Amino acid sequence: MDDTIDAPTHGHLLIVGGSEDRQHGMRVLTRFVELCGGADQPVAVMTAASEIADQVFEMYRVAFAELGVTRISHVHLDSPKEAASEKLLSRLREAKGIFMSGGDQKRLLEMIGGTPVHACIATAFARGACIAGTSAGASAMSRFMLAEGKAELEPEKGAIRLGPGLGFVERIVVDQHFAQRKRLPRLLSIIAERPDLYGIGIDEDTALLISPGKGIEVIGDGAVTLLDGLNMVSNIDLLDTGEVPRLIDVRLHLLPAGTRFDVGAAADGDTRVPPPFQDFFDTLIQSEQPEQPEQREPS
Amino acid sequence: MDDTIDAPTHGHLLIVGGSEDRQHGMRVLTRFVELCGGADQPVAVMTAASEIADQVFEMYRVAFAELGVTRISHVHLDSPKEAASEKLLSRLREAKGIFMSGGDQKRLLEMIGGTPVHACIATAFARGACIAGTSAGASAMSRFMLAEGKAELEPEKGAIRLGPGLGFVERIVVDQHFAQRKRLPRLLSIIAERPDLYGIGIDEDTALLISPGKGIEVIGDGAVTLLDGLNMVSNIDLLDTGEVPRLIDVRLHLLPAGTRFDVGAAADGDTRVPPPFQDFFDTLIQSEQPEQPEQREPS
């Protein structure tokens, strides 16, 4: 079976803010299982962001078992050389949901970025699988990934560095553990450096669900904070590294769990997209085929 | 000497975010002394927000002495009955700067709100004195004061309660220790409940200087965060107490120390008011005479 795309309907993207509940109500994981098509469907847990892969996989195996999922496979790499392994690729091809754990997003990208594993996940998404990522896994899902970021009290020039992510969403940068780790200043640093990108901060035990072409929803316990710097006036280009930028007219949106916006919702319904949010919404749900990732030369 | 207003030029307002440096560079206090007209001018320190008045006064006496200020008086009340005391009123009348300490803003308002002391401070401001407040003293300076506020990870309906403040600025609510105590969710709660008011969060060792009719400046070490909910779309009216509101299109501005905006600045100068900030700026610098506070019936 080759990896060309032939199915018309994308799966969903579930971008999780870390520390999702794995023992009690498990709202985020429950939704993931539904999005996979139910507990009888095969799920792959990718731990390539993590240095403690077996421990992390076991944690998810137990949680998913609690939800009735028994067909669960482990995808892990300790070297990008393993990213052409037929064993791993077949696990990913079979999966109706691929769940990328936390750890370090740079490790995840180093292991799989531009490899057959990466292409395989992109194909699975195009064929209807649910692609989920939590914590570092969440940050990796966009085209633009937060690779380094200082945790300061205020945004600063030079505080963050972006790197290439997996490319499942365009034009956004995702941060996680957002309220709990007080990451608004860092998200402001991101849009201050890249006002062309939208910033998304996801709280713990919270997920942003994107149904391409259809809508978005916030699931779980907390909220999603979104920053739009497209109209922003900033002096960051005049500053030295470490200085705090002056930022005027950042647009901030706060979407608590339960929020849902649908394309084509009734004009007076509460899932109608508020006009000031329309462009952001359109960016999130754009359903053009993500490019197949550039293949990395084998090293 | 009566308290009718006859001087044409307002003094300045210095709204300080708490924990201002009182031992080293003392940037905020140094500016306060300049705004009083110099170290040889009389300063009154009002500790009516505090339960440890003598300790707080001593701390400021020492700090101001370090800056060369020797004509320093202590204004304190343990009951609103003391607010007609000629001794206190004369100290306030004489002062070219009145510095209101931290503590509990409700205590401050209970002691002086609507009393001759309050009227006397308003008169001093109208006659050119610099009125400063730090921490609780800062929150008290507006017409709309944060009286109660839960510190949560996200904004919530019912999390805050406003009460009447001293009225030196209209249409804003001030919070302090802003970055250090992670108070953005609380400031969002404030504008969610009152989208007609602007929210201002001031970091520690940072001050917002308002020169009525002229301009604003940010002094000290941190930054001032401003929230504008005038265009905001919110569902808070549909919620129960404790629920997190959905907020769309909050405008956020971040002004670091060193920021300065002047009325009538050169169109290409860096103290020109950025157009998206114009209405907020105009609100801050409006120089209409604040109403003389309503007089409280003597109890």
Side-chain angles (χ1 to χ4, degrees), chain A residues 75-142:
Chain A
V75 174
H76 185 69
L77 299 83
D78 286 314
S79 158
K81 294 189 171 100
E82 301 172 42
S85 146
E86 186 51 35
K87 181 169 86 167
L88 297 185
L89 295 175
S90 66
R91 288 176 182 176
L92 291 168
R93 278 188 212 115
E94 181 188 56
K96 292 292 184 275
I98 298 169
F99 193 98
M100 298 183 291
S101 77
D104 179 341
Q105 53 263 42
K106 295 192 298 299
R107 188 193 198 280
L108 176 59
L109 264 294
E110 185 190 333
M111 292 300 135
I112 76 166
T115 70
V117 163
H118 186 180
C120 197
I121 299 173
T123 300
F125 174 49
R127 289 183 172 157
C130 179
I131 310 301
T134 188
S135 194
S139 285
M141 287 172 74
S142 170

Coordinates of all heavy atoms in Angstrom, one line a residue, chain A residues 75-142:
Chain A
V75 N 4.1 3.5 19.0 CA 5.0 4.0 17.9 C 6.1 4.9 18.6 O 5.8 5.9 19.2 CB 4.3 4.8 16.8 CG1 5.3 5.4 15.8 CG2 3.3 3.9 16.1
H76 N 7.3 4.4 18.6 CA 8.4 5.2 19.2 C 9.6 5.1 18.4 O 9.9 4.1 17.7 CB 8.7 4.7 20.7 CG 9.7 5.5 21.4 ND1 9.4 6.8 21.8 CD2 11.0 5.3 21.7 CE1 10.5 7.3 22.3 NE2 11.4 6.4 22.3
L77 N 10.4 6.1 18.5 CA 11.7 6.1 17.8 C 12.8 6.7 18.7 O 12.5 7.7 19.4 CB 11.7 7.1 16.5 CG 10.7 6.8 15.4 CD1 9.3 7.3 15.7 CD2 11.2 7.3 14.1
D78 N 13.9 6.1 18.7 CA 15.1 6.8 19.4 C 16.1 7.3 18.4 O 17.1 7.8 18.8 CB 15.7 5.7 20.3 CG 14.9 5.5 21.6 OD1 14.4 6.5 22.1 OD2 14.7 4.4 22.0
S79 N 15.8 7.2 17.1 CA 16.6 7.7 16.1 C 15.8 7.9 14.8 O 14.9 7.1 14.5 CB 17.8 6.8 15.7 OG 18.3 7.0 14.5
P80 N 16.0 9.0 14.1 CA 15.3 9.1 12.8 C 15.5 8.0 11.8 O 14.7 7.8 10.9 CB 15.8 10.5 12.2 CG 17.0 10.9 13.1 CD 16.9 10.1 14.3
K81 N 16.6 7.2 12.0 CA 16.8 6.1 11.2 C 15.7 5.1 11.3 O 15.5 4.3 10.4 CB 18.2 5.4 11.5 CG 19.4 6.3 11.3 CD 20.7 5.5 11.5 CE 21.9 6.3 11.0 NZ 22.6 6.9 12.1
E82 N 15.0 5.1 12.4 CA 13.9 4.1 12.6 C 12.7 4.6 11.9 O 11.7 3.8 11.9 CB 13.6 4.0 14.1 CG 14.8 3.5 14.9 CD 14.5 3.5 16.4 OE1 13.4 3.2 16.8 OE2 15.4 4.0 17.2
A83 N 12.7 5.7 11.3 CA 11.4 6.3 10.7 C 11.0 5.7 9.4 O 10.1 6.2 8.8 CB 11.6 7.8 10.6
A84 N 11.8 4.8 8.9 CA 11.3 4.0 7.7 C 10.9 2.6 8.0 O 10.7 1.8 7.1 CB 12.4 4.1 6.6
S85 N 10.9 2.3 9.3 CA 10.6 1.0 9.8 C 9.2 0.5 9.4 O 8.2 1.2 9.7 CB 10.7 0.9 11.3 OG 9.8 0.0 11.9
E86 N 9.1 -0.6 8.6 CA 7.8 -1.0 8.2 C 6.9 -1.4 9.3 O 5.7 -1.2 9.3 CB 8.0 -2.3 7.3 CG 6.7 -2.8 6.6 CD 6.0 -1.7 5.9 OE1 6.6 -0.7 5.3 OE2 4.7 -1.7 5.9
K87 N 7.5 -1.8 10.4 CA 6.7 -2.2 11.6 C 5.9 -0.9 12.1 O 4.7 -0.9 12.3 CB 7.6 -2.7 12.7 CG 6.8 -3.1 14.0 CD 7.7 -3.9 14.9 CE 8.5 -3.0 15.8 NZ 9.1 -3.7 17.0
L88 N 6.7 0.2 12.2 CA 6.0 1.4 12.7 C 5.0 2.0 11.7 O 3.9 2.4 12.0 CB 7.1 2.5 13.0 CG 8.1 2.2 14.1 CD1 9.0 3.4 14.4 CD2 7.4 1.8 15.4
L89 N 5.4 1.9 10.4 CA 4.6 2.5 9.4 C 3.2 1.7 9.3 O 2.2 2.3 9.1 CB 5.3 2.5 8.0 CG 6.5 3.4 7.9 CD1 7.2 3.3 6.6 CD2 6.1 4.9 8.1
S90 N 3.3 0.4 9.5 CA 2.1 -0.3 9.3 C 1.2 0.0 10.5 O -0.1 0.0 10.4 CB 2.4 -1.8 9.2 OG 3.0 -2.3 10.4
R91 N 1.8 0.2 11.7 CA 0.9 0.5 12.9 C 0.2 1.9 12.6 O -1.0 2.0 13.0 CB 1.8 0.7 14.1 CG 2.3 -0.7 14.6 CD 3.2 -0.5 15.8 NE 3.7 -1.8 16.2 CZ 4.6 -2.1 17.2 NH1 5.1 -1.1 17.8 NH2 4.9 -3.3 17.5
L92 N 0.9 2.8 12.0 CA 0.3 4.1 11.7 C -0.8 4.0 10.6 O -1.8 4.6 10.7 CB 1.4 5.1 11.3 CG 2.3 5.5 12.5 CD1 3.5 6.3 11.9 CD2 1.6 6.3 13.5
R93 N -0.5 3.2 9.6 CA -1.5 3.0 8.5 C -2.8 2.4 9.0 O -3.8 2.8 8.5 CB -0.9 2.1 7.4 CG 0.0 2.8 6.5 CD 0.4 1.9 5.3 NE 1.7 2.2 4.9 CZ 2.7 1.4 5.0 NH1 2.6 0.2 5.5 NH2 3.9 1.8 4.6
E94 N -2.6 1.5 9.9 CA -3.8 0.8 10.4 C -4.7 1.7 11.4 O -5.9 1.5 11.5 CB -3.3 -0.4 11.2 CG -4.5 -1.3 11.7 CD -4.0 -2.4 12.6 OE1 -3.2 -2.1 13.6 OE2 -4.3 -3.6 12.3
A95 N -4.0 2.6 12.0 CA -4.7 3.4 13.1 C -5.8 4.3 12.6 O -5.6 4.9 11.5 CB -3.6 4.2 13.9
K96 N -6.9 4.3 13.3 CA -7.9 5.3 13.1 C -7.7 6.5 14.0 O -8.5 7.5 13.8 CB -9.3 4.7 13.3 CG -9.6 3.6 12.3 CD -9.8 4.2 10.9 CE -10.3 3.1 9.9 NZ -9.1 2.4 9.3
G97 N -6.8 6.4 14.9 CA -6.4 7.6 15.7 C -5.0 7.5 16.0 O -4.5 6.4 16.3
I98 N -4.3 8.6 15.9 CA -2.9 8.7 16.3 C -2.7 9.7 17.4 O -3.1 10.9 17.1 CB -2.0 9.0 15.0 CG1 -2.2 7.9 14.0 CG2 -0.5 9.2 15.4 CD1 -1.6 8.3 12.6
F99 N -2.2 9.3 18.5 CA -2.2 10.2 19.7 C -0.7 10.5 20.0 O 0.0 9.5 20.4 CB -2.9 9.6 20.9 CG -3.1 10.5 22.0 CD1 -4.4 11.1 22.1 CD2 -2.1 10.8 22.9 CE1 -4.6 12.0 23.2 CE2 -2.4 11.7 24.0 CZ -3.6 12.3 24.1
M100 N -0.2 11.7 19.9 CA 1.2 12.0 20.1 C 1.3 12.6 21.5 O 0.7 13.6 21.9 CB 1.6 13.1 19.0 CG 1.5 12.5 17.6 SD 2.1 13.6 16.3 CE 0.8 14.9 16.4
S101 N 2.2 11.9 22.3 CA 2.3 12.3 23.7 C 3.1 13.6 23.9 O 3.7 14.1 22.9 CB 3.0 11.2 24.4 OG 4.4 11.2 24.1
G102 N 3.3 13.9 25.1 CA 4.1 15.1 25.5 C 5.6 14.6 25.6 O 5.9 13.5 25.3
G103 N 6.4 15.6 26.0 CA 7.8 15.4 26.1 C 8.5 16.7 25.6 O 8.3 17.7 26.2
D104 N 9.3 16.6 24.5 CA 10.0 17.7 23.9 C 9.6 17.8 22.4 O 10.0 16.8 21.7 CB 11.5 17.6 24.2 CG 12.3 18.8 23.6 OD1 11.7 19.5 22.7 OD2 13.4 19.0 24.0
Q105 N 9.0 18.8 22.0 CA 8.6 18.9 20.6 C 9.8 18.8 19.6 O 9.7 18.4 18.5 CB 7.7 20.1 20.3 CG 8.2 21.4 20.7 CD 7.6 21.9 22.1 OE1 7.5 21.1 23.0 NE2 7.3 23.1 22.2
K106 N 10.9 19.3 20.1 CA 12.1 19.3 19.2 C 12.6 17.8 19.0 O 13.0 17.5 17.9 CB 13.2 20.1 19.8 CG 12.9 21.6 19.8 CD 14.1 22.5 20.1 CE 14.8 22.2 21.5 NZ 13.8 22.4 22.6
R107 N 12.4 17.0 20.1 CA 12.8 15.6 19.9 C 11.8 14.9 18.9 O 12.3 14.2 18.0 CB 12.7 14.9 21.3 CG 13.3 13.5 21.2 CD 12.9 12.6 22.5 NE 13.8 11.5 22.7 CZ 13.6 10.3 22.0 NH1 12.7 10.2 21.1 NH2 14.4 9.3 22.3
L108 N 10.6 15.2 19.0 CA 9.6 14.7 18.1 C 9.9 15.0 16.7 O 9.9 14.2 15.8 CB 8.2 15.2 18.5 CG 7.0 14.7 17.6 CD1 6.9 13.2 17.5 CD2 5.7 15.3 18.1
L109 N 10.2 16.3 16.4 CA 10.5 16.7 15.0 C 11.8 16.1 14.5 O 11.9 15.7 13.4 CB 10.5 18.2 14.9 CG 9.2 18.9 14.5 CD1 8.8 18.5 13.0 CD2 8.0 18.5 15.3
E110 N 12.7 16.0 15.4 CA 14.0 15.4 15.1 C 13.8 14.0 14.6 O 14.4 13.5 13.7 CB 15.0 15.5 16.2 CG 16.4 15.1 15.9 CD 17.2 14.9 17.2 OE1 17.0 15.7 18.2 OE2 18.2 14.1 17.2
M111 N 13.0 13.3 15.4 CA 12.8 11.9 15.1 C 12.0 11.6 13.8 O 12.3 10.7 13.0 CB 12.0 11.2 16.2 CG 12.8 11.1 17.5 SD 14.3 10.1 17.3 CE 15.5 11.2 18.2
I112 N 10.9 12.5 13.6 CA 10.0 12.1 12.5 C 9.9 13.2 11.4 O 9.3 12.8 10.3 CB 8.6 11.7 13.0 CG1 7.8 12.9 13.4 CG2 8.7 10.7 14.1 CD1 6.3 12.6 13.7
G113 N 10.3 14.4 11.6 CA 10.1 15.5 10.6 C 10.6 15.1 9.3 O 11.8 14.8 9.1
G114 N 9.7 15.1 8.3 CA 10.2 14.9 6.9 C 10.5 13.4 6.6 O 11.0 13.1 5.5
T115 N 10.1 12.5 7.5 CA 10.4 11.1 7.3 C 9.2 10.4 6.8 O 8.1 10.9 6.8 CB 10.9 10.5 8.6 OG1 9.7 10.4 9.5 CG2 12.0 11.2 9.2
P116 N 9.3 9.1 6.4 CA 8.1 8.3 6.1 C 7.1 8.3 7.2 O 5.9 8.2 6.9 CB 8.7 7.0 5.8 CG 10.1 7.3 5.3 CD 10.6 8.4 6.1
V117 N 7.5 8.3 8.4 CA 6.6 8.3 9.5 C 5.7 9.5 9.4 O 4.5 9.5 9.5 CB 7.3 8.2 10.9 CG1 6.3 8.6 12.0 CG2 7.8 6.8 11.1
H118 N 6.3 10.7 9.2 CA 5.6 11.9 9.1 C 4.6 11.9 7.9 O 3.4 12.2 8.1 CB 6.6 13.1 8.9 CG 6.1 14.5 8.9 ND1 6.9 15.6 8.7 CD2 4.8 14.9 9.0 CE1 6.1 16.7 8.7 NE2 4.9 16.3 8.9
A119 N 5.1 11.4 6.8 CA 4.2 11.3 5.6 C 3.0 10.4 5.9 O 1.9 10.6 5.4 CB 5.0 10.8 4.4
C120 N 3.3 9.3 6.6 CA 2.3 8.3 6.9 C 1.2 8.9 7.8 O 0.0 8.7 7.6 CB 3.0 7.2 7.6 SG 2.0 5.7 7.7
I121 N 1.6 9.8 8.8 CA 0.6 10.4 9.6 C -0.2 11.4 8.8 O -1.5 11.5 8.9 CB 1.3 11.1 10.8 CG1 2.0 10.2 11.7 CG2 0.2 11.9 11.6 CD1 2.9 10.8 12.8
A122 N 0.4 12.1 7.9 CA -0.3 13.1 7.0 C -1.3 12.3 6.1 O -2.4 12.8 5.9 CB 0.7 13.8 6.1
T123 N -0.9 11.2 5.7 CA -1.8 10.4 4.9 C -3.0 9.9 5.7 O -4.1 9.9 5.3 CB -1.1 9.2 4.3 OG1 0.0 9.7 3.4 CG2 -2.0 8.3 3.4
A124 N -2.7 9.4 6.9 CA -3.8 8.9 7.8 C -4.8 10.0 8.0 O -6.0 9.8 8.0 CB -3.2 8.4 9.1
F125 N -4.3 11.2 8.3 CA -5.2 12.4 8.5 C -6.1 12.6 7.2 O -7.3 12.8 7.3 CB -4.3 13.6 8.8 CG -5.0 14.9 8.9 CD1 -6.2 15.0 9.7 CD2 -4.6 16.0 8.2 CE1 -6.9 16.3 9.8 CE2 -5.2 17.3 8.3 CZ -6.4 17.4 9.1
A126 N -5.4 12.6 6.1 CA -6.2 12.8 4.8 C -7.2 11.7 4.6 O -8.3 11.9 4.0 CB -5.2 12.8 3.6
R127 N -7.0 10.5 5.2 CA -7.9 9.4 5.0 C -8.9 9.3 6.1 O -9.7 8.3 6.2 CB -7.1 8.1 4.9 CG -6.4 8.0 3.6 CD -5.7 6.6 3.5 NE -5.1 6.5 2.2 CZ -4.1 5.7 1.9 NH1 -3.6 5.0 2.8 NH2 -3.7 5.6 0.6
G128 N -8.9 10.3 7.0 CA -10.0 10.3 8.0 C -9.6 9.9 9.4 O -10.5 9.9 10.3
A129 N -8.3 9.6 9.7 CA -7.9 9.4 11.1 C -7.9 10.6 11.9 O -7.8 11.7 11.4 CB -6.5 8.8 11.1
C130 N -8.1 10.5 13.2 CA -8.0 11.6 14.1 C -6.6 11.7 14.5 O -6.0 10.8 15.0 CB -8.9 11.4 15.3 SG -8.8 12.8 16.5
I131 N -6.0 12.9 14.4 CA -4.6 13.1 14.8 C -4.7 14.0 16.0 O -5.3 15.1 16.0 CB -3.8 13.9 13.7 CG1 -4.0 13.2 12.3 CG2 -2.4 14.0 14.1 CD1 -3.5 11.7 12.3
A132 N -4.1 13.5 17.1 CA -4.2 14.2 18.4 C -2.7 14.4 18.9 O -1.8 13.6 18.6 CB -5.0 13.5 19.4
G133 N -2.5 15.5 19.6 CA -1.2 15.7 20.2 C -1.4 16.5 21.5 O -2.3 17.4 21.6
T134 N -0.7 16.1 22.5 CA -0.8 16.8 23.8 C 0.5 17.3 24.3 O 1.5 16.7 24.0 CB -1.4 15.8 24.9 OG1 -1.7 16.6 26.0 CG2 -0.5 14.7 25.2
S135 N 0.4 18.5 24.9 CA 1.6 19.2 25.4 C 2.6 19.4 24.3 O 2.2 20.0 23.3 CB 2.2 18.3 26.6 OG 3.1 19.1 27.3
A136 N 3.8 18.8 24.3 CA 4.7 19.0 23.2 C 4.1 18.4 21.9 O 4.4 19.0 20.8 CB 6.0 18.2 23.5
G137 N 3.3 17.4 22.0 CA 2.7 16.8 20.8 C 1.7 17.8 20.2 O 1.5 17.9 19.0
A138 N 1.1 18.7 21.0 CA 0.2 19.7 20.5 C 1.0 20.8 19.8 O 0.6 21.2 18.7 CB -0.6 20.3 21.7
S139 N 2.1 21.3 20.4 CA 2.9 22.3 19.8 C 3.4 21.9 18.5 O 3.6 22.7 17.6 CB 4.0 22.7 20.7 OG 3.5 23.5 21.8
A140 N 3.7 20.6 18.3 CA 4.3 20.1 17.1 C 3.3 20.0 15.9 O 3.7 19.9 14.8 CB 4.8 18.7 17.3
M141 N 2.0 20.2 16.2 CA 1.0 19.9 15.1 C 0.9 21.0 14.0 O 0.5 20.7 12.9 CB -0.3 19.7 15.7 CG -0.4 18.3 16.4 SD -1.9 18.0 17.4 CE -3.1 17.7 16.1
S142 N 1.3 22.2 14.4 CA 1.2 23.3 13.4 C 2.4 23.2 12.4 O 3.4 22.5 12.6 CB 1.1 24.6 14.1 OG 1.3 25.7 13.2

